[in-house]
Amino acid sequence: MSNYKGPGNIKELNDTLQKLWQSELSRLFEEGIKRAKNEVSPPSNDAWMFNPILEGDANTVKKKIDWNAFPKNLTTMYASKIKAWREGDKSRGNQDEYCEWEVVRDQVDNKIIRVTFTTETPDYFEFLFNNDPKLLLDIYHKHVSTKVKIGDLTSGNGKYKRINIWNTPEIINKRGVLLHMIGPNSFSAAVDLSAEATWPSVDLNGNIISDEQQLIDCRNYGDAGRHSDPHIGAEINALIRQGNIISLAAPSGLYIDNIDLTGFDVPDGLEASDLMTIVRGDQNNMLRVVFQVPKDSGFKLGDVKIDGTHIQFGGQIAEKITIRVMGIAKNTPNIAPSIDCSGTIQNPISPISFVPLALDSTRRKNVEYLLNSTEI
């Protein structure tokens, strides 16, 4: 339990807050377990997800589950990379791979001067709002603006406002600086999706489904058009089929796992690594990374090339980024039975109706965030 501290191993939670954060994580895992039990009809008394806050993570093995940060939905939709990159930069609602970014351009020549990437989930900031609003403000003051007030972050019903005037890209009316992700990119969504994917599933002929696209089509969790959702589900499902129960590892969260700096052509003999700064998280658990040229370098980020093309969009860098969630697994003698695509346990194999359960997805699809609406 002591491993589950703040996201990214950031040492900003005191002992009291760490205990409260662990309680919040425990609640999220318990909700995931409940969701897993309700995936079948009738609901099961058993689940193959465990709560590592209550049970600990001893005798577990880790499984890295990673994927590309640039939205697969956009590369599928647009044959032109330029169009896909442009759409990726245009709206946070298009950035749906558990990674969001903000592009800041020079007001004179429109060249990119900074791109900020984040995988910080709104769950953590909601937790801070409820338990230590002063720390929440300190983070906003450090990374966004000293002008932020708690009222700016409070919704009409007294809860934390994820989409507020300070957590919006500068490219939208120059009002704020991206701090954390919004919408479907949450830790609770990752927990719920993992829970839904725990049941081994069979096709119309009773054969186990292992292909990630076929599996998500069968179980109807998340968004089949993403890199992340089908892959997370398939990797979790494979761990279950190997005779395990699963959960998500400490430190809790989604992370930038790797940034491929090959192909960067930087002027004046500088290295690509000179462009990158880890602002939150550590080297192994990157939460917030900023790309910009060193001060007084004499050029701009837009003068840098990636694979022979000048950086014109943040999406070009996103294509070089890998996102990760870390699963954990431990053996269990209680082997999970298979279910068909309607959620019926196959013990023995029963006739298959192939009617997916009418469950709400843990992640909303085709979300467009209207940042000039009353939601802000």
Side-chain angles (χ1 to χ4, degrees):
M1 176 163 44
S2 61
N3 292 330
Y4 287 81
K5 299 179 181 179
N9 292 321
I10 297 175
K11 296 178 175 61
E12 61 192 9
L13 300 181
N14 59 32
D15 290 344
T16 299
L17 285 174
Q18 283 186 18
K19 291 178 181 178
L20 290 172
W21 175 239
Q22 289 168 3
S23 296
E24 174 63 13
L25 291 175
S26 182
R27 182 186 68 81
L28 294 179
F29 283 120
E30 287 299 313
E31 289 183 354
I33 291 168
K34 181 179 179 181
R35 190 176 190 92
K37 291 179 178 180
N38 288 327
E39 270 291 288
V40 296
S41 181
S44 172
N45 292 322
D46 298 312
W48 281 263
M49 169 179 274
F50 69 95
N51 183 340
I53 308 300
L54 297 180
E55 299 182 31
D57 57 3
N59 302 316
T60 61
V61 294
K62 291 184 177 180
K63 172 64 177 179
K64 182 167 74 172
I65 305 170
D66 56 11
W67 59 90
N68 189 261
F70 190 80
K72 182 181 178 182
N73 276 317
L74 294 181
T75 57
T76 302
M77 188 179 304
Y78 299 102
S80 164
K81 274 200 169 187
I82 291 178
K83 288 184 178 179
W85 291 335
R86 181 179 290 113
E87 290 301 309
D89 282 8
K90 185 182 295 185
S91 169
R92 298 267 293 280
N94 291 335
Q95 299 165 9
D96 58 7
E97 299 285 2
Y98 289 104
C99 177
E100 296 178 17
W101 65 89
E102 170 201 44
V103 175
V104 178
R105 297 178 180 273
D106 187 287
Q107 294 184 358
V108 177
D109 60 16
N110 204 40
K111 284 185 178 180
I112 290 180
I113 56 177
R114 184 174 72 246
V115 184
T116 302
F117 293 88
T118 185
T119 61
E120 293 213 64
T121 64
D123 316 74
Y124 181 64
F125 291 86
E126 289 171 349
F127 163 79
L128 292 178
F129 179 85
N130 294 328
N131 293 280
D132 194 335
K134 182 181 181 304
L135 176 55
L136 175 67
L137 278 178
D138 288 345
I139 295 171
Y140 265 93
H141 290 167
K142 181 177 181 180
H143 297 290
V144 180
S145 171
T146 57
K147 297 179 181 180
V148 181
K149 299 177 181 179
I150 199 66
D152 301 331
L153 314 178
T154 307
S155 65
N157 59 5
K159 295 183 179 180
Y160 179 66
K161 187 186 293 186
R162 295 183 178 187
I163 308 174
N164 58 71
I165 61 173
W166 299 108
N167 186 36
T168 54
E170 286 192 17
I171 55 174
I172 305 296
N173 299 328
K174 304 174 186 174
R175 288 183 293 189
V177 177
L178 165 146
L179 180 61
H180 63 75
M181 298 188 291
I182 54 179
N185 294 315
S186 67
F187 184 67
S188 58
V191 172
D192 285 347
L193 190 153
S194 299
E196 293 173 9
T198 51
W199 292 92
S201 300
V202 295
D203 62 18
L204 288 167
N205 297 314
N207 299 315
I208 285 288
I209 302 173
S210 59
D211 178 80
E212 62 182 43
Q213 291 299 145
Q214 293 177 15
L215 189 59
I216 196 172
D217 288 342
C218 170
R219 295 303 317 130
N220 196 33
Y221 49 75
D223 186 339
R226 295 182 170 120
H227 291 298
S228 52
D229 291 2
H231 190 56
I232 294 171
E235 293 293 300
I236 291 296
N237 198 263
L239 290 173
I240 301 298
R241 298 197 310 272
Q242 293 162 11
N244 300 299
I245 54 176
I246 63 90
S247 196
L248 300 181
S252 56
L254 287 300
Y255 298 101
I256 295 172
D257 184 68
N258 179 63
I259 302 176
D260 180 8
L261 296 178
T262 60
F264 280 70
D265 182 6
V266 186
D268 295 343
L270 294 177
E271 299 293 329
S273 57
D274 296 326
L275 307 175
M276 187 185 98
T277 303
I278 302 171
V279 180
R280 282 175 65 80
D282 57 31
Q283 187 69 40
N284 296 319
N285 302 282
M286 295 180 280
L287 286 168
R288 181 181 179 85
V289 174
V290 175
F291 278 83
Q292 59 186 358
V293 302
K295 189 177 180 180
D296 301 325
S297 63
F299 62 95
K300 300 169 185 175
L301 189 61
D303 295 314
V304 176
K305 293 181 180 180
I306 299 179
D307 299 328
T309 301
H310 282 103
I311 298 177
Q312 302 173 65
F313 305 97
Q316 291 169 261
I317 304 176
E319 285 189 333
K320 296 289 188 176
I321 294 177
T322 303
I323 306 302
R324 176 198 83 227
V325 66
M326 190 72 75
I328 51 175
K330 59 183 177 181
N331 290 130
T332 177
N334 188 13
I335 303 300
S338 300
I339 63 173
D340 66 21
C341 296
S342 70
T344 303
I345 293 178
Q346 304 297 285
N347 188 21
I349 300 294
S350 65
I352 298 175
S353 59
F354 207 79
V355 179
L357 285 175
L359 291 175
D360 292 332
S361 172
T362 57
R363 302 182 69 189
R364 290 173 290 168
K365 303 177 183 180
N366 302 319
V367 178
E368 181 68 26
Y369 297 97
L370 302 178
L371 297 181
N372 59 352
S373 72
T374 57
E375 286 292 316
I376 297 179

